[in-house]
Amino acid sequence: MRLTILVPTPHYADIDCLLHYQSNSALPYGTLVRVPLGSRELLGIVWNDLDARTTHERVIPDEASLKPIIEVFDSIPALNDHWRELVKFCANYYQRSLGETALNSLPASLKKLTSPQLKKRIKILDKPVLNSSQKNETYAPKLTDEQVHAISAITSQTRPYLLFGATGSGKTEVYMQCVAHFLSQNIHAQALIMVPEINLTPQLKDRFSERFSHWGAQAVVSLHSGMTDPQRLSSWLLAHRGTARIVLGTRLSIFASLPNLALIVVDEEHDTSYKSDSGVRYSARDLAVYRSHKLNISVILGSATPSLESWHHSRPKSDGGRYIRLSMLHRVGNKEDSNVTTFGSQFPKLCLVDMNHQPRNTILSQPLLTAIKERIACGEQSLLLLNQRGYAPVLFCSDCGWKSDCTNCSAYRVFHQLDRTLRCHHCGLTQPVPRACPSCGNLDIRPMGQGTERLEELLTEALLGHERKNGGCARIVRIDADSTRHKGTLEQMLSSVYHGEVDVLIGTQMIAKGHDFRSITLVAAINPDGALYSCDYRASERLFSLLLQVSGRAGRDAQLAHRAQMWVQTWQPTHPLYSALKDHDYQKFADQLLIDRQVAGLTPFSSQALMRAEGKTQEAAQSFLLRASQAIDAVISASEPNASKHLEENIRKSALFRYRSYITISSPIPMFMQRVANVERAQMLIESSSRVALQGFLAAWQPLIFQQKQKGLIRWFIDVDPLSI
DNA sequence: AGCACGCCGACT
DNA sequence: GTCGGCGTGCTC
């Protein structure tokens, strides 16, 4: 008999991703199979033929001429209706092929294994595992009133919740108690906990594993891109077969097959890592909301600095809000000592250094340096945040004005002192530092601006001869992508900080997230102003959240909390962002930003999509975009709808007619980073005040884009709900 | 996309 | 005389 199989062909292929094959027997939708395609053998999924892309002429061959299915993966259950609905929604919403979306969201190992090999893997998983100690049986730490309120709200009504919880207010405990509640309701129930970067928070898995050890050793599994393929397959299979009760993962875990999903948690929901920046550009947070809605279960979006979208959606219900906002504004005391819970630990005090009043070219101001020395003297730690690795972002010639441009990208190459190289952080081009200016031969070429290497050097000099509490030199460690390139060094460095073997920690954004350093009492942002001048209107909201998050690293030990300080070196000390930060008042800041956004008609008051093109020349990229937009008007003005014989084409045309007036399409422009690795990039913004109109329009437009051919075009794609424009 | 087939330049 | 460049074209 004839079966329709979903295969991973991309949206721009000339072939539909739903193909027909011969089978001896009927197989339920969602069954995994292996099928031949051309000279390849691919993983496919038995699918409903009604989802076929009808835009192309579908000539379905005789059954006799169809190729047979190679093998059926019958040792695991079929992917259920809910999972298939999720990937279908994702493909439609983010304008990608269904096959690419569905097959890419399965673990890579599954594509390589044969059916007997998979059977073997499952047998291994089914071997009884030694159960770890059962000592910890629904253990209950003392909760704050705010935690109690949040938990009772979440466990009483099925809704999306925004858990607006300050750093240190005990969000994780709320997640764990809610998970415990839903998992004890039903012995099969499962929970999905998403975090932005699981590699930075192995503690979370430990905390969950320890708390829920009585559910069995396989009850808590991780799912993230840092795992090896076989590890990922094991976790995936445990989740798919219902053995795993709790899945902890990064954004890709939103596609985990969880047949008994009862709760989703999205921790740090504002974090931009939830949005995929290649392939299917999905937002795992938004898909989590969709998924919970379809399953009629609750989703908890947790953050100390919620995204403006979630903030907007969690207005009071009377105001049309769709989420319930639960606030936890107070810090929990020292968790190490669960018998003595001190409430309302103070937040770090904000100290602004006005750089206008500092000597020219100051990198580390005197008052900040003094404060760091004080901390060292009394055995406390400091954390310095500087979001630029290397020694200096650019090298320049004082004579002719030459700068260390990258030949492949529209960016400067960064000066790395340690190995004397100029490195492009976009394409990787690396060359030794020239002795003299390549343009005029001048020997006086200098670093301009500041990087973590330079800060480390500067601080080492400044602290020379400065004694620690227990004697000896101050110990500095630098954590960035360069210093942690080798496997295990990050963990090693973090642990030395944790064990008090370090006095000052210098790092990039890497150190802002999650780490629970107990003895840090001073956090400083060395040069954060950049975002205030950025052309990206979301930059200030991201800066606020970064600074608040990093300030949360200070004073986590209740004993030291009163000494915690957050220092900011700025040329804009009166900027409203900093006054909001001073008051720890995200609500006021977010409310004001929302008013600004509403006035300007920006998200979340409008929906956006970017159409991007990459070509050998800027001209090729832009003219492709231009032609794609002109094709719309050509269709609209060429003929009235219903003139075509093809039903599908009529639907498309009438959608274009209907939605065009609700849509604004900008002219093609070069991207801010115009050239990366010798590829020219251009983009075009598509906006609408109606999300539905934008969706309908994009869907109707796509087939027209496929028809556009352009010499020199490398690729194009649509980014729906882009994070930066 | 992958992977074939297919026709022109510098190498054992 | 072969290896390999990437230009079209096809995949149930």
Side-chain angles (χ1 to χ4, degrees):
Chain A
M1 64 185 302
R2 176 202 301 267
L3 282 185
T4 306
I5 307 293
L6 186 65
V7 292
T9 45
H11 59 307
Y12 37 80
D14 297 325
I15 187 175
D16 195 346
C17 52
L18 282 168
L19 302 177
H20 300 265
Y21 292 88
Q22 266 185 60
S23 168
N24 298 328
S25 57
L27 296 170
Y29 295 147
T31 306
L32 291 169
V33 294
R34 186 189 305 283
V35 290
L37 181 64
S39 60
R40 295 180 294 164
E41 290 186 357
L42 299 170
L43 184 67
I45 307 171
V46 179
W47 210 270
N48 189 335
D49 194 58
L50 295 176
D51 288 335
R53 189 174 88 190
T54 46
T55 320
H56 280 249
E57 300 291 320
R58 278 190 110 212
V59 187
I60 302 166
D62 293 342
E63 195 179 320
S65 62
L66 293 178
K67 289 188 182 174
I69 286 171
I70 297 168
E71 60 178 349
V72 179
F73 294 89
D74 50 6
S75 52
I76 56 169
L79 293 156
N80 65 19
D81 295 358
H82 167 66
W83 188 90
R84 299 199 315 279
E85 199 177 1
L86 172 71
V87 294
K88 186 176 154 185
F89 170 81
C90 181
N92 289 336
Y93 188 83
Y94 294 104
Q95 308 294 321
R96 278 274 172 164
S97 106
L98 180 59
E100 186 190 15
T101 308
L103 277 305
N104 281 345
S105 57
L106 294 173
S109 290
L110 218 46
K111 288 160 207 166
K112 294 172 206 148
L113 297 186
T114 63
S115 184
Q117 284 170 325
L118 185 64
K119 274 194 182 111
K120 247 186 229 167
R121 290 295 304 268
I122 288 166
K123 236 182 178 171
I124 295 166
L125 287 181
D126 283 342
K127 270 193 188 157
V129 193
L130 283 176
N131 232 346
S132 49
S133 64
Q134 304 241 332
K135 60 181 179 203
N136 289 303
E137 286 249 24
T138 42
Y139 166 74
K142 208 168 173 203
L143 298 174
T144 64
D145 292 346
E146 289 174 329
Q147 285 176 315
V148 170
H149 174 251
I151 294 162
S152 69
I154 295 165
T155 52
S156 64
Q157 194 192 356
T158 300
R159 284 292 292 273
Y161 291 93
L162 177 71
L163 184 61
F164 172 50
T167 23
S169 64
K171 289 191 288 285
T172 309
E173 187 57 40
V174 173
Y175 303 153
M176 291 202 287
Q177 300 235 1
C178 292
V179 167
H181 170 85
F182 286 105
L183 263 55
S184 60
Q185 299 279 91
N186 169 348
I187 57 157
H188 298 298
Q190 296 174 301
L192 172 63
I193 322 291
M194 289 201 288
V195 291
E197 286 173 63
I198 202 148
N199 51 323
L200 290 181
T201 54
Q203 311 104 297
L204 194 71
K205 172 145 199 249
D206 293 345
R207 280 180 78 176
F208 271 86
S209 299
E210 196 186 334
R211 178 72 65 90
F212 297 103
S213 60
H214 54 282
W215 294 110
Q218 292 177 325
V220 183
V221 299
S222 309
L223 213 47
H224 58 88
S225 52
M227 297 161 69
T228 65
D229 282 355
Q231 284 174 332
R232 251 158 90 169
L233 180 64
S234 299
S235 293
W236 189 89
L237 287 170
L238 288 169
H240 178 59
R241 296 164 78 244
T243 317
R245 305 288 305 279
I246 298 169
V247 172
L248 278 169
T250 50
R251 64 167 181 251
L252 60 90
S253 64
I254 191 58
F255 294 113
S257 165
L258 292 155
N260 303 299
L261 188 58
L263 177 71
I264 308 178
V265 173
V266 186
D267 190 27
E268 308 291 356
E269 65 87 25
H270 64 280
D271 198 292
T272 52
S273 353
Y274 284 120
K275 181 82 156 69
S276 163
D277 52 10
S278 63
V280 185
R281 290 169 140 76
Y282 64 94
S283 158
R285 181 244 286 150
D286 295 349
L287 287 178
V289 174
Y290 170 86
R291 200 170 177 179
S292 67
H293 177 73
K294 281 287 162 184
L295 282 172
N296 195 27
I297 61 171
S298 286
V299 59
I300 308 173
L301 309 178
S303 177
T305 52
S307 64
L308 287 187
E309 286 78 6
S310 300
W311 191 253
H312 176 63
H313 289 140
S314 64
R315 290 164 305 168
K317 203 177 176 184
S318 57
D319 197 15
R322 291 190 271 149
Y323 308 164
I324 292 178
R325 189 186 298 173
L326 300 167
S327 300
M328 300 201 303
L329 303 174
H330 299 96
R331 264 183 145 176
V332 180
N334 193 341
K335 272 168 261 156
E336 300 277 275
D337 184 358
S338 53
N339 294 318
V340 191
T341 308
T342 42
F343 296 105
S345 310
Q346 290 158 28
F347 292 103
K349 187 181 164 231
L350 185 71
C351 309
L352 291 173
V353 180
D354 186 345
M355 296 304 274
N356 299 297
H357 298 151
Q358 293 294 318
R360 252 182 92 80
N361 299 325
T362 297
I363 294 176
L364 197 58
S365 63
Q366 203 53 52
L368 175 56
L369 185 62
T370 309
I372 294 170
K373 285 179 177 171
E374 267 171 32
R375 305 288 144 156
I376 297 171
C378 56
E380 293 167 14
Q381 296 174 310
S382 304
L383 184 157
L384 310 188
L385 180 78
L386 177 59
N387 213 13
Q388 171 70 58
R389 63 192 168 93
Y391 190 86
V394 57
L395 211 58
F396 112 112
C397 168
S398 54
D399 238 30
C400 72
W402 170 87
K403 285 179 174 174
S404 54
D405 304 272
C406 175
T407 49
N408 306 330
C409 310
S410 35
Y412 295 125
R413 278 176 299 161
V414 174
F415 172 42
H416 287 254
Q417 169 86 285
L418 293 175
D419 56 1
R420 303 283 308 165
T421 56
L422 290 179
R423 298 220 288 263
C424 174
H425 289 181
H426 299 276
C427 72
L429 179 72
T430 302
Q431 281 167 352
V433 175
R435 295 195 153 271
C437 171
S439 162
C440 72
N442 173 25
L443 289 173
D444 184 24
I445 45 175
R446 310 177 199 172
M448 223 166 60
Q450 48 209 287
T452 46
E453 283 182 12
R454 189 178 205 171
L455 184 62
E456 186 184 21
E457 180 188 277
L458 204 106
L459 195 67
T460 309
E461 269 172 44
L463 296 179
L464 263 182
H466 189 79
E467 291 274 307
R468 294 192 296 122
K469 191 184 179 186
N470 302 321
C473 261
R475 300 152 307 180
I476 302 169
V477 71
R478 174 173 55 91
I479 297 187
D480 56 31
D482 299 310
S483 71
T484 59
R485 184 161 313 153
H486 299 288
K487 242 201 302 201
T489 38
L490 176 64
E491 289 73 14
Q492 203 186 315
M493 286 179 172
L494 292 176
S495 119
S496 69
V497 177
Y498 190 81
H499 291 105
E501 293 153 18
V502 167
D503 302 301
V504 184
L505 168 60
I506 294 173
T508 53
Q509 282 208 38
M510 262 177 113
I511 53 170
K513 284 178 194 170
H515 306 294
D516 194 356
F517 302 126
R518 301 241 141 237
S519 328
I520 286 181
T521 56
L522 184 152
V523 169
I526 301 301
N527 184 25
D529 278 352
L532 303 179
Y533 316 114
S534 169
C535 54
D536 182 350
Y537 65 87
R538 276 185 238 242
S540 63
E541 126 198 23
R542 282 204 292 268
L543 176 62
F544 189 98
S545 117
L546 176 69
L547 292 180
L548 198 75
Q549 197 162 34
V550 75
S551 82
R553 303 301 118 220
R556 290 179 81 87
D557 188 319
Q559 306 286 297
L560 296 172
H562 65 286
R563 295 184 41 80
Q565 292 181 344
M566 168 79 205
W567 287 68
V568 173
Q569 300 192 137
T570 176
W571 274 265
Q572 305 274 322
T574 58
H575 195 282
L577 189 146
Y578 294 126
S579 26
L581 193 66
K582 194 169 202 136
D583 300 338
H584 266 90
D585 198 345
Y586 183 73
Q587 318 192 42
K588 200 170 101 191
F589 179 71
D591 288 338
Q592 183 55 49
L593 279 185
L594 273 182
I595 292 168
D596 299 346
R597 296 279 177 89
Q598 187 155 27
V599 170
L602 298 169
T603 45
F605 301 95
S606 76
S607 288
Q608 300 174 324
L610 276 179
M611 184 164 159
R612 305 221 315 222
E614 300 180 352
K616 289 178 180 149
T617 62
Q618 181 63 215
E619 207 277 320
Q622 284 194 26
S623 72
F624 174 79
L625 294 177
L626 190 64
R627 289 166 54 173
S629 64
Q630 285 167 345
I632 302 161
D633 301 318
V635 165
I636 289 178
S637 54
S639 62
E640 289 298 313
N642 307 320
S644 165
K645 284 172 205 153
H646 298 290
L647 179 68
E648 169 71 17
E649 201 172 317
N650 278 327
I651 293 170
R652 198 170 82 220
K653 279 186 183 172
S654 44
L656 286 177
F657 268 94
R658 192 166 52 235
Y659 294 129
R660 184 65 183 90
S661 57
Y662 299 99
I663 307 284
T664 314
I665 304 179
S666 77
S667 304
I669 50 163
M671 281 183 62
F672 180 67
M673 277 240 47
Q674 180 174 336
R675 193 163 45 102
V676 170
N678 277 327
V679 171
E680 286 284 339
R681 309 168 345 145
Q683 67 182 23
M684 194 160 70
L685 184 65
I686 301 112
E687 279 180 292
S688 176
S689 56
S690 157
R691 173 179 293 255
V692 175
L694 184 68
Q695 269 301 303
F697 180 77
L698 292 177
W701 187 18
Q702 264 227 26
L704 294 179
I705 309 172
F706 296 129
Q707 292 163 12
Q708 305 305 314
K709 301 278 184 258
Q710 171 69 49
K711 205 169 146 263
L713 183 80
I714 296 171
R715 66 175 77 84
W716 66 270
F717 57 85
I718 292 172
D719 187 350
V720 180
D721 301 334
L723 280 187
S724 59
I725 52 174

